Amino acid sequence: MQQRVMKVLEFHKIKEQLIDFASSSFGREKVSKLTPSTDFEQVVKMQEETDEAVKVLRIKGNIPLGGIFDIRPQIKRASIGSMLNPQELNQVSTTIHASRQMKKFIETLVEEEIEIPQLNRYAEKIIVLAELEQSIRGAVDEGGEVLDSASITLRSLRNQLRTKEARVRERLESMIRSSSAQKMLSDAIVTIRNDRFVIPVKQEYRGHYGGIIHDQSSSGQTLFIEPQAIVQLNNELQNIRVKEQQEIEKILIELSSMVGEHFNELATICYVLGELDFLFTKARFAQKMKASKPKMNNKGMIKLYKARHPLIPIDEVVANDIFIGEDFSTIVITGPNTGGKTVTLKTVGLCTLMAQAGLQVPALDGSELAVFGAVYADIGDEQSIEQSLSTFSSHMVNIVDILNHVSFDSLVLFDELGAGTDPQEGAALAISILDEVYKCGARVIATTHYPELKAYGYNREGVINASVEFNVETLTPTYKLLIGVPGRSNAFEISKRLGLKESVIETSRAHVSAESNQVDTMIASIEESKWQAEKELEDAHDLLKQSEMLHRDLQKQMIEFYEQKDKMKEKAKEKAAKIVDQAKMEAEEVIRELRKLRLEKNAEVKEHELIEARKRLNEAAPKQHVSKNPLTSKRTKHMYQPGDEVKVLTFNQKGSLVEKVSEDEWQVQIGILKMKVSEKNLEYIKSPKVTETRPIATVKGKDFHVGLELDLRGERYEDALLKVEKYIDDALLAGYPRVSIIHGKGTGALRQGVQEYLRNHRSVKNIRFGAATEGGTGVTIVEFK
């Protein structure tokens, strides 16, 4: 990839933003060396790696990439016998620890069945050097100091040092506490000079203590003297310090030797940590840009949905759909200055470079980019004063170079092609240049002001016109790209809005050819139709959302209604039962009183009459039927099939089975509503009639029923088409006259792919979008022959 092209498209600015997300010097080094690749397999692999890193960040939020140092110089020196200092050894142990944490982190993700094969391959290369890490940590602390525990000898020497230092301080403190010391010392403190303990003595008393003068104050009035009485003790201290230093060097040499022995493993750790840091650097950058993984191809096709220029803030940039390479290989963009033509060129070019460098691009999911062998760009005013070249000459130098190297796998971006010279000659040159590049099979996007190139887009197969929209009412560009709509001159409308006399405008129109007026009128009509279609589509989307919300609310209210109805019935039955029980109790009490009265008074009340009265009382009470729970009532077990007419017991409503959604749940159509119902809440009524010319309407593939609908929402493009292919075969075997495929609206890529496949299927009679009650343009209805 040419350095000049990457500079023109500002790829270096992407790298400047990317480097801020690196966690270590390894990652920053990888970013600084980042260049787009032209190898298709390598680009696909890089995109998969970045996507896995994005997935991990989305699931886990962060990763353990702290404490990484570039230890390559240290391990190289250790491998040839050099001694590392404590700080360098600490960096080695910290980096080993970071690699161990990273390996464990990725292994945990794999155990959680998160699909990250690329990251796992990197983690498998990390060799755990826990023993080396422990050896260094046991000898060197985090501050880079050698610990007493590094060896038994060092511990002993340091104990001796502490004992000797205590004795020296004790002797000196006894000196400075004496009564005579107050007048002879500048300050009653013990200090250190040249690693020896001294006291500050006034100049005039220098001979009182004897010993050695090690330093003096700036004024010369104070001398730092090592008294003769402690010279021998200081000498002993120095001897112990020398032995201590020798023991420390011995320990460092031993540890450095261990590091050198593991040079290859440590070099691998550095490589893997660098790669992982780089991948998560790209992932964090993608999250910040709200980018997505593009599907890569080697067929020169670009399909960008709502693509944004990566360097323009999200709240300012206008997203555009950009397509090239399938139905047409050349786009000619016309429109006013500052309308966004150059931004469109740079968006395509920069997104291509980013994708080929393994970066995700600021566009919606489902976008697709090609891996080009070369990207050429002639953008902006690159006038060279040093070479005394005009703007036109400077552009022509670049164009000549492009024409000498362009091939079928190139992407070529021309900005203001043919500008800077006579309009008639410039237009002719622009047409010839486009023809030349078109013959090579390259993909070309060119911007121009020349009206002659509008006709070029109509007269050449594989070439399409495009324009950037301009709002005449506000006299401002909207920055929207309109593919298939050539730009038109807005000079008359703008002049009118700015107050130019109508008579002057009409006179001007008379000087313009009839053909130009007709073309401008046609373009205006196309723009108006497109705007109206977009508005109607937006209104339809809003209406669909409202309908879906209403559907959900109605379904919820139906469920609540039937639940409330059942509760009220149960309460009424319970209340009636209590009233009847109370009445029976009162009646029994009356009968007991009557019986007692008969016995006591010999009243003429016969026993059989009492029994008859109780019987009539029982018969008069309302019978309480224990309602059979439809969920538990016994009924004949039926093997349900899609299309069966059933009764939903919980709602007491009839419906038909659409498809089985789980082991014991079906999707049931009740009027205009669809809802999931447990199989135990269904009561079989009848099956649909089956024509003799078709097999029975349910076919089991792999222990599941074929549904009347296939939901593809959330599926990737390739997986979705595979599912469609299998589903159509199963539906044909099941004998369905028609089925529904739910692909959603989204960007339209999935819908287009599904319908393209269905149009070419030999058994498909007709396809159409669903009606408003069937899902609208988010559903394709398929009718079989």
Side-chain angles (χ1 to χ4, degrees), residues 334-341 467-482 485-495 497-498 523-524 527-528 531:
T334 53
N337 286 329
T338 69
K341 300 194 302 298
S467 61
V468 284
E469 193 177 56
F470 187 87
N471 190 326
V472 179
E473 297 298 319
T474 62
L475 302 181
T476 57
T478 65
Y479 303 106
K480 286 186 178 180
L481 180 68
L482 307 175
V485 180
R488 63 189 179 99
S489 173
N490 296 300
F492 294 149
E493 287 82 356
I494 293 172
S495 301
R497 294 281 299 174
L498 292 175
I523 294 171
E527 287 181 350
E528 177 66 24
W531 178 84

Side-chain angles (χ1 to χ4, degrees), residues 454 458 467 469 472 482 485-490 493 516-532:
K454 298 175 187 177
Y458 284 110
S467 61
E469 193 177 56
V472 179
L482 307 175
V485 180
R488 63 189 179 99
S489 173
N490 296 300
E493 287 82 356
S516 296
N517 279 326
Q518 288 176 358
V519 169
D520 278 348
T521 302
M522 177 192 68
I523 294 171
S525 176
I526 294 173
E527 287 181 350
E528 177 66 24
S529 299
K530 183 175 177 62
W531 178 84
Q532 186 64 31

Side-chain angles (χ1 to χ4, degrees), residues 332-496:
V332 179
I333 307 175
T334 53
N337 286 329
T338 69
K341 300 194 302 298
T342 303
V343 170
T344 300
L345 287 186
K346 288 189 173 182
T347 299
V348 175
L350 193 50
C351 285
T352 297
L353 295 182
M354 289 172 63
Q356 292 186 213
L359 299 172
Q360 296 193 346
V361 297
L364 294 183
D365 284 332
S367 294
E368 189 170 350
L369 284 164
V371 177
F372 292 102
V375 176
Y376 300 103
D378 179 55
I379 298 175
D381 184 2
E382 299 177 25
Q383 181 174 345
S384 173
I385 298 175
E386 295 176 359
Q387 298 178 15
S388 300
L389 296 176
S390 66
T391 301
F392 176 74
S393 300
S394 177
H395 280 298
M396 287 311 301
V397 168
N398 293 334
I399 291 170
V400 168
D401 182 64
I402 291 171
L403 295 179
N404 288 336
H405 296 94
V406 70
S407 62
F408 70 95
D409 64 343
S410 299
L411 172 65
V412 184
L413 307 172
F414 290 124
D415 189 28
E416 297 301 339
L417 185 59
T421 186
D422 177 77
Q424 200 168 10
E425 293 180 353
L429 269 174
I431 292 171
S432 299
I433 291 167
L434 287 176
D435 279 340
E436 185 67 23
V437 179
Y438 177 79
K439 290 175 186 176
C440 297
R443 304 297 181 261
V444 186
I445 304 179
T447 69
T448 182
H449 275 110
Y450 296 132
E452 289 84 352
L453 267 72
K454 298 175 187 177
Y456 178 85
Y458 284 110
N459 298 333
R460 302 292 197 283
E461 185 180 354
V463 181
I464 194 168
N465 281 314
S467 61
V468 284
E469 193 177 56
F470 187 87
N471 190 326
V472 179
E473 297 298 319
T474 62
L475 302 181
T476 57
T478 65
Y479 303 106
K480 286 186 178 180
L481 180 68
L482 307 175
I483 294 181
V485 180
R488 63 189 179 99
S489 173
N490 296 300
F492 294 149
E493 287 82 356
I494 293 172
S495 301
K496 184 177 180 180

Side-chain angles (χ1 to χ4, degrees), residues 71-84 88 252-253 255-264 266:
I71 59 173
R72 289 173 296 184
Q74 290 94 309
I75 64 176
K76 180 65 177 176
R77 283 172 33 230
S79 69
I80 58 176
S82 296
M83 183 187 78
L84 304 181
E88 291 174 327
L252 295 179
I253 288 171
L255 291 174
S256 300
S257 176
M258 293 173 63
V259 171
E261 290 171 3
H262 292 90
F263 171 78
N264 291 331
L266 289 168

Side-chain angles (χ1 to χ4, degrees), residues 263-322:
F263 171 78
N264 291 331
E265 294 93 333
L266 289 168
T268 301
I269 285 174
C270 291
Y271 164 74
V272 172
L273 289 178
E275 291 295 327
L276 291 175
D277 186 18
F278 180 52
L279 293 182
F280 284 103
T281 296
K282 294 191 289 184
R284 283 188 285 263
F285 182 59
Q287 283 190 329
K288 180 243 181 186
M289 279 202 311
K290 295 183 171 27
S292 65
K293 174 191 173 186
K295 178 186 174 184
M296 305 306 299
N297 68 75
N298 53 5
K299 300 176 182 177
M301 287 192 299
I302 294 176
K303 296 179 181 179
L304 290 172
Y305 300 102
K306 300 300 178 186
R308 296 174 274 110
H309 191 287
L311 299 176
I312 300 178
I314 295 177
D315 56 346
E316 297 177 14
V317 69
V318 174
N320 279 305
D321 296 340
I322 306 171

Side-chain angles (χ1 to χ4, degrees), residues 13 139 285 325 466 477 502 546 563 611 652 679 708 722 740 744 779:
K13 291 186 179 180
F285 182 59
E502 186 68 33
Q546 293 174 10
E563 287 178 350
I611 295 172
N652 195 27
E679 195 170 286
L708 292 171
L722 289 174
S740 301
V779 177

Side-chain angles (χ1 to χ4, degrees), residues 133-192:
E133 179 192 348
Q134 194 58 41
S135 297
I136 297 175
R137 287 184 179 274
V140 181
D141 66 11
E142 293 180 356
E145 295 294 329
V146 178
L147 299 169
D148 293 359
S149 58
S151 74
I152 297 173
T153 302
L154 184 61
R155 184 189 299 276
S156 174
L157 289 170
R158 285 184 172 171
N159 286 336
Q160 293 177 41
L161 271 175
R162 285 188 280 270
T163 302
K164 289 288 183 184
E165 286 178 354
R167 287 181 60 191
V168 172
R169 285 182 177 276
E170 186 179 347
R171 291 287 298 275
L172 289 174
E173 286 174 357
S174 67
M175 291 180 184
I176 65 178
R177 283 198 299 268
S178 66
S179 58
S180 60
Q182 293 185 5
K183 68 174 183 178
M184 290 186 287
L185 299 179
S186 299
D187 201 354
I189 61 170
V190 176
T191 184
I192 297 174

